[in-house]
Amino acid sequence: MSPPIYVEWRSVSRESSNTGGLEVTTPSEFLGFAVGDDHRLADWPQVVDYMRLLDQESDRVSTIEIGKTTEGNPFLLTFISSPGNIANLDSHMETQRRLADPDKISDSEANELIADARSVVAITCSIHATEVGGTQMSLALAHQLASEDDSRVRRILDNVILILVPSLNPDGLIKVKRWYDATRDTHYEGSIPPYLYNKYTGHDNNRDWFMFTQAETRLVVDRLYNRWRPHIIFDIHQTRSDGMRMILPPFVDPVGPNVDPVLQSELAALGTHMASELTAAGKSGVAVNVVYDSYSPSRSYSHYHGGIRVLSEAASVRIASPISIDRTQLKSDRGERPTAKSWNHTMPWTGGKWSLKDIVEYDLIASLACLDSAARNRDTWVGNSFKVLRRAVTKQGNPYGYVIPKEQHDTGAAQELIEVLEFADVEVQELTKEVQHEGLALKPGDHLVLTLQRFGTFAQTMLETQKYPDIRHYPGGPPKHPYDSTAHSLPLAMGVTAHELNKPIEPLPRLTDRRKQASFCYDQVFPEASAYAINPKSNASAKIVNHLLAAGFQVSRVSHSLHNGSELLPPGAFVVESSQQLIESLRDACDGKFADISGTDFKPVANAIELRTPKIGVYQSYVPATEEGWTRFILDEYGFQHEPVWDWAIRETDLSRRFDAIIIPHQTVRQIQRGFNQASYSKRYSGGLGDAGAARLKQFAEAGGTLIAWDGAARWATRHFDLPVVNLLAGLTHSDFFVPGSLLDIRVDTQHPIGYGMPSNAAALFMNGPAWRVNIGKSIATYSKEKPLLSGLLIGSKKIAGTTAVAAVPLGKGQIVIFGFRPHFRAQARGTYKLFFNAIYSSVMSNHQGD
Ligand SMILES: [Zn+2]
């Protein structure tokens, strides 16, 4: 144990840095207020300017912009280290690159590199933008390291390259600051903004660390993680106000089964060290090993890339407004007992005032403790990280790898899966000749992902199915709630076939690097064809169709299967009459996509239902809902035009002229019905849909519209429209039935327009949603009668077996399509996208077939 590194927090409001350090502008000189002052937040442009100013004023600091955020704001990395290290960043990055390639260097080369390497620490702030403390603290941290010259700061600068990410969500800071300032000195001061603080993902923006769909995730993975391979990522968050003052690792069980034990131990050691340094600095209420697990890779990229992610969760205030909490108001929750002294919570907080300055102090002490450990134990951090990667390329376990066959239901989905793996620096190879193995005939062009590679644990974690442990509060008691979803198997989620190899392929056939295919969908013109048919099996078909509809082409869907030369297209193929203009438009539409398009002599007029561009409304509650954001993300990505429609607009207007389909994304029944409370938000933002909104939506459907709702929204609709369906899971306790985010096996009616293009079996991401018996209407997908669980945790299999997962229920001249699962969960559940897209298209097909 190192001696206490920090006795008391030095106020960042000091007028100048006069401890023998370097003259650099202080945050308070720059901002006009001290970091952490009540009611004051540095805005993103100020943070950007300050980090750039430090770059100019100090040779310890280098600030670079690595790209733009989702909404076009600059995204920054600020490197802080000794002047010598800063002058040689390229050479240090090269050292990191070579050490992360353990099969390409000898032991002696490795030892030389380790002796020369620095610990690389990334501190990432305020990805959840209402958790403002991290970003505000980053100014104080940068200033302290740039200006002070004591032995600890010098040790850190010499031994550590700090890559400070002052905000992982700059757009969010701008939005939160704007809302906070607008509500200052009103009754609503300190409330959370009534919109998502990240355009598409809101609070889910830290659930994207394996799918890499968002601009910010892609920047950080590409420009920071994959280039710098940080040994430590310290990720700064905040949580509820009335629990612990700060929570640090070790995380609670279960740990991801493929995370290297060395990384798990280091994580526990560092988290505990940081907690002890906070305690030594007199900061009470610090706990380890409560609430948070690290099972899902969606929140922990580094655990599968030779590093660790330390999460801190400080108690929040009301954005930047202080609060006062009496000890008796502290609440126990999820195993967290803020008033109880214990081995993992050595000095409980006794209550009182709690302010942004407290959060900034805790974050700053934790950051410096983290950096000092990285500095003092530089060779251990660097050496162990290398050992982990070296073990990954030398110690073969079972499974040996995965084959992703070329032949797929949706070729584009398989391509996307491979791109996800490659983005995470997993090596994917292509078979060059036929191989018989474990009863499989592997073919040239099939892709092979071996687990014996440096990031093989990432590949395995994403490609295998999950067996999430059944952990109870006490023997025979209710199950413990996992922190996040329990299933992330990409082949299942994306509807891709992959085979696990349980024996080594020997001799390994010659492999080539994967050939990058620009697109698959359209490589020839069919001069004789009277029309073109777009196979509905690929998700990308929706992109092509929406492009053609927007360009004014007449697109129809064929309701039966279509023989086209040697190919049999399933029901639901899209057909469009051939013309020179069409051929040109198809060429544009197909760029970079993987759809299956062929010439046909089929006449679109016969046995086909004409489509038109659907007019789509997306219900937008003022209570921010991540599923609403993801819905817009997917609609934008696939070229569906849409408009938001708020509570008041639904309550007060006739919607039938404006929209063909209205989507009600998952949210709790209470949030949809009641919205925010009027005591906490003004009239404009409170109230929810209420009975008036429900009546309007019902009218909309009865007049011929299509409503689409899932999970909580489907519960809301079945209740408020009195739908002729029965939720067979209603009233069950978690001991009877519990599925906190698992992939379940569904059987799909592919003859029904909403099932068009789907395989007859698919995996659906289910999260304690409803499951029905349908009395009137059409059941389009049902859970497997035999074994519904494919991946994750399922308690009470018999309760859901054989029940309805997706139904179309007639409402007057229109219909409502209800899903019990999440059809596009976090842009991960791509195998069920088509059900969602088809529900939208069904709104503009003349017969709803909702019988
Ligand atoms: Zn958070």
Side-chain angles (χ1 to χ4, degrees):
M1 175 67 63
S2 51
I5 54 162
Y6 212 74
V7 178
E8 97 183 325
W9 189 59
R10 297 174 204 208
S11 168
V12 292
S13 61
R14 282 174 301 118
E15 283 307 304
S16 67
S17 321
N18 53 8
T19 56
L22 310 164
E23 287 299 323
V24 293
T25 306
T26 65
S28 47
E29 284 165 349
F30 183 79
L31 298 170
F33 59 90
V35 169
D37 273 359
D38 289 345
H39 311 295
R40 303 304 294 267
L41 291 174
D43 203 354
W44 182 241
Q46 292 173 300
V47 175
V48 171
D49 288 348
Y50 185 69
M51 293 301 174
R52 286 178 173 157
L53 181 65
L54 286 188
D55 174 308
Q56 286 167 20
E57 291 183 341
S58 170
D59 52 6
R60 298 174 179 182
V61 179
S62 169
T63 294
I64 59 168
E65 179 182 326
I66 57 169
K68 299 291 186 203
T69 65
T70 304
E71 301 194 69
N73 291 301
F75 194 99
L76 293 195
L77 303 182
T78 293
F79 293 79
I80 306 177
S81 195
S82 69
N85 291 338
I86 289 292
N88 290 297
L89 283 178
D90 285 349
S91 126
H92 287 295
M93 188 164 72
E94 175 64 10
T95 301
Q96 287 300 96
R97 189 194 66 72
R98 292 189 65 202
L99 281 170
D101 243 339
D103 46 1
K104 297 201 177 76
I105 52 172
S106 67
D107 283 353
S108 61
E109 282 173 310
N111 288 337
E112 273 175 40
L113 288 167
I114 290 166
D116 181 52
R118 305 295 184 269
S119 294
V120 179
V121 178
I123 296 184
T124 58
C125 301
S126 302
I127 190 167
H128 294 149
T130 48
E131 301 163 13
V132 294
T135 296
Q136 304 303 308
M137 181 282 297
S138 73
L139 304 172
L141 176 66
H143 173 256
Q144 190 165 346
L145 293 175
S147 64
E148 295 194 351
D149 240 353
D150 60 34
S151 58
R152 181 183 53 163
V153 165
R154 262 188 268 118
R155 182 166 57 238
I156 291 171
L157 296 173
D158 288 343
N159 291 287
V160 178
I161 293 170
L162 166 62
I163 308 172
L164 181 61
V165 184
S167 170
L168 276 172
N169 181 10
D171 298 348
L173 171 55
I174 292 167
K175 289 181 192 182
V176 168
K177 156 102 175 146
R178 191 177 299 159
W179 173 258
Y180 180 74
D181 288 350
T183 52
R184 266 286 309 282
D185 300 324
T186 74
H187 179 65
Y188 312 108
E189 176 176 318
S191 57
I192 61 160
Y195 38 75
L196 293 173
Y197 52 61
N198 182 273
K199 182 179 178 186
Y200 292 124
T201 56
H203 197 81
D204 263 2
N205 61 349
N206 74 331
R207 268 66 171 180
D208 192 40
W209 296 106
F210 68 72
M211 212 58 175
F212 319 122
T213 61
Q214 300 300 307
E216 292 82 0
T217 322
R218 296 186 76 81
L219 284 174
V220 173
V221 170
D222 179 35
R223 298 294 304 275
L224 197 176
Y225 295 172
N226 287 357
R227 294 189 194 200
W228 279 96
R229 307 280 175 218
H231 307 107
I232 301 166
I233 292 164
F234 176 31
D235 192 24
I236 299 177
H237 288 248
Q238 287 167 221
T239 181
R240 66 192 177 98
S241 305
D242 52 1
M244 305 299 196
R245 295 304 90 190
M246 181 172 269
I247 298 172
L248 287 160
F251 295 112
V252 300
D253 279 330
V255 175
N258 304 319
V259 178
D260 191 287
V262 171
L263 298 178
Q264 289 177 31
S265 309
E266 285 185 326
L267 183 59
L270 180 58
T272 311
H273 170 72
M274 290 160 69
S276 78
E277 291 301 295
L278 280 154
T279 307
K283 299 298 178 191
S284 58
V286 178
V288 300
N289 195 234
V290 286
V291 184
Y292 302 94
D293 69 40
S294 69
Y295 186 81
S296 175
S298 68
R299 288 163 43 246
S300 48
Y301 183 81
S302 54
H303 294 176
Y304 304 91
H305 290 83
I308 61 166
R309 169 186 179 251
V310 177
L311 166 76
S312 73
E313 294 274 359
S316 291
V317 290
R318 289 175 58 77
I319 311 286
S321 302
I323 56 174
S324 187
I325 304 180
D326 188 76
R327 187 174 178 277
T328 56
Q329 293 172 301
L330 296 174
K331 290 196 185 73
S332 296
D333 186 31
R334 292 192 180 194
E336 190 188 348
R337 293 181 302 141
T339 55
K341 186 175 160 79
S342 175
W343 73 268
N344 60 338
H345 180 222
T346 54
M347 188 165 73
W349 187 61
T350 51
K353 187 189 170 198
W354 184 250
S355 67
L356 179 58
K357 190 153 209 152
D358 292 308
I359 299 170
V360 168
E361 287 183 14
Y362 275 61
D363 286 348
L364 186 58
I365 294 169
S367 297
L368 289 165
C370 172
L371 290 167
D372 200 47
S373 167
R376 286 174 185 273
N377 307 301
R378 183 201 61 77
D379 48 349
T380 310
W381 284 107
V382 179
N384 281 351
S385 175
F386 179 75
K387 272 184 207 160
V388 167
L389 297 180
R390 174 55 74 78
R391 181 158 44 218
V393 297
T394 49
K395 194 162 168 272
Q396 177 69 72
N398 192 6
Y400 290 81
Y402 295 83
V403 171
I404 302 166
K406 193 177 172 189
E407 289 282 313
Q408 293 281 347
H409 181 85
D410 179 352
T411 314
Q415 291 292 329
E416 287 174 11
L417 192 162
I418 290 166
E419 282 164 16
V420 164
L421 295 175
E422 289 183 331
F423 195 73
D425 274 345
V426 169
E427 205 175 320
V428 181
Q429 292 164 308
E430 205 170 305
L431 279 170
T432 53
K433 63 172 189 178
E434 204 165 308
V435 183
Q436 294 292 327
H437 185 81
E438 294 180 67
L440 299 167
L442 310 181
K443 297 197 181 72
D446 287 358
H447 289 104
L448 185 61
V449 184
L450 297 173
T451 49
L452 192 67
Q453 58 171 302
R454 55 190 184 148
F455 308 126
T457 55
F458 182 82
Q460 184 180 341
T461 303
M462 299 322 307
L463 292 170
E464 71 185 357
T465 58
Q466 283 71 50
K467 295 180 188 71
Y468 191 88
D470 180 354
I471 304 174
R472 304 287 173 142
H473 282 283
Y474 50 87
K480 276 196 174 174
H481 217 292
Y483 192 71
D484 209 272
S485 72
T486 63
H488 39 262
S489 169
L490 286 181
L492 290 170
M494 299 177 80
V496 174
T497 302
H499 305 296
E500 191 169 285
L501 302 178
N502 297 118
K503 289 180 188 158
I505 302 185
E506 282 170 350
L508 196 65
R510 211 166 68 76
L511 302 168
T512 59
D513 288 342
R514 188 171 82 86
R515 281 195 298 276
K516 300 255 187 244
Q517 288 172 289
S519 98
F520 172 78
C521 78
Y522 184 79
D523 47 13
Q524 54 180 316
V525 174
F526 300 90
E528 306 302 318
S530 59
Y532 282 80
I534 304 163
N535 194 324
K537 284 157 74 173
S538 71
N539 285 346
S541 62
K543 289 185 186 171
I544 314 269
V545 166
N546 290 337
H547 182 103
L548 296 180
L549 286 173
F553 291 97
Q554 191 178 322
V555 184
S556 304
R557 285 199 99 164
V558 188
S559 57
H560 55 77
S561 49
L562 186 62
H563 284 276
N564 192 32
S566 60
E567 194 180 23
L568 178 68
L569 298 175
F574 301 92
V575 287
V576 54
E577 227 168 309
S578 181
S579 67
Q580 191 52 43
Q581 266 177 316
L582 175 82
I583 288 167
E584 279 160 27
S585 197
L586 268 181
R587 210 166 263 149
D588 292 343
C590 286
D591 188 33
K593 300 178 193 75
F594 291 83
D596 172 9
I597 302 179
S598 50
T600 174
D601 54 9
F602 182 80
K603 295 270 182 297
V605 281
N607 293 318
I609 299 164
E610 195 185 326
L611 286 181
R612 59 185 162 78
T613 302
K615 289 180 283 180
I616 304 167
V618 180
Y619 166 59
Q620 190 140 24
S621 165
Y622 284 111
V623 183
T626 53
E627 289 265 331
E628 179 272 329
W630 285 112
T631 301
R632 282 185 285 105
F633 176 71
I634 284 140
L635 294 176
D636 284 351
E637 196 189 0
Y638 280 81
F640 288 96
Q641 291 160 34
H642 57 94
E643 291 177 45
V645 50
W646 279 272
D647 292 310
W648 57 267
I650 292 180
R651 288 194 302 257
E652 291 165 20
T653 50
D654 177 6
L655 303 158
S656 52
R657 277 163 213 261
R658 274 177 72 195
F659 301 113
D660 299 303
I662 295 177
I663 299 169
I664 314 171
H666 160 73
Q667 199 162 1
T668 67
V669 173
R670 190 191 164 86
Q671 285 171 350
I672 295 172
Q673 181 66 14
R674 299 197 197 167
F676 277 130
N677 187 321
Q678 279 205 23
S680 316
Y681 286 84
S682 66
K683 192 160 181 289
R684 178 174 172 197
Y685 299 117
S686 55
L689 281 176
D691 292 342
R696 288 283 190 184
L697 286 171
K698 197 172 180 200
Q699 258 172 30
F700 164 78
E702 284 169 348
T706 290
L707 294 171
I708 301 167
W710 58 93
D711 200 338
R715 281 182 214 265
W716 175 84
T718 54
R719 190 177 302 174
H720 288 274
F721 303 158
D722 200 17
L723 296 181
V725 299
V726 179
N727 177 11
L728 299 168
L729 304 175
L732 296 178
T733 66
H734 282 174
S735 297
D736 295 329
F737 182 80
F738 189 56
V739 184
S742 305
L743 288 157
L744 304 187
D745 191 8
I746 54 168
R747 307 292 148 98
V748 182
D749 177 358
T750 58
Q751 305 290 318
H752 189 281
I754 291 168
Y756 282 166
M758 286 290 292
S760 53
N761 277 44
L765 195 292
F766 185 89
M767 213 168 210
N768 286 326
W772 301 282
R773 183 179 67 233
V774 177
N775 294 332
I776 302 171
K778 180 80 182 143
S779 172
I780 294 149
T782 54
Y783 296 102
S784 158
K785 284 186 181 143
E786 295 82 37
K787 199 175 157 288
L789 181 65
L790 293 172
S791 185
L793 175 67
L794 165 56
I795 294 171
S797 193
K798 287 200 176 113
K799 305 288 185 196
I800 196 169
T803 61
T804 289
V806 184
V809 179
L811 270 174
K813 291 187 206 157
Q815 62 171 349
I816 178 165
V817 182
I818 47 175
F819 295 77
F821 57 85
R822 313 276 182 96
H824 56 57
F825 184 66
R826 296 176 179 166
Q828 296 162 6
R830 299 184 189 180
T832 46
Y833 275 13
K834 284 186 285 281
L835 292 164
F836 177 61
F837 296 159
N838 286 335
I840 294 171
Y841 287 133
S842 76
S843 72
V844 288
M845 288 162 68
S846 53
N847 58 334
H848 288 308
Q849 300 201 357
D851 52 329

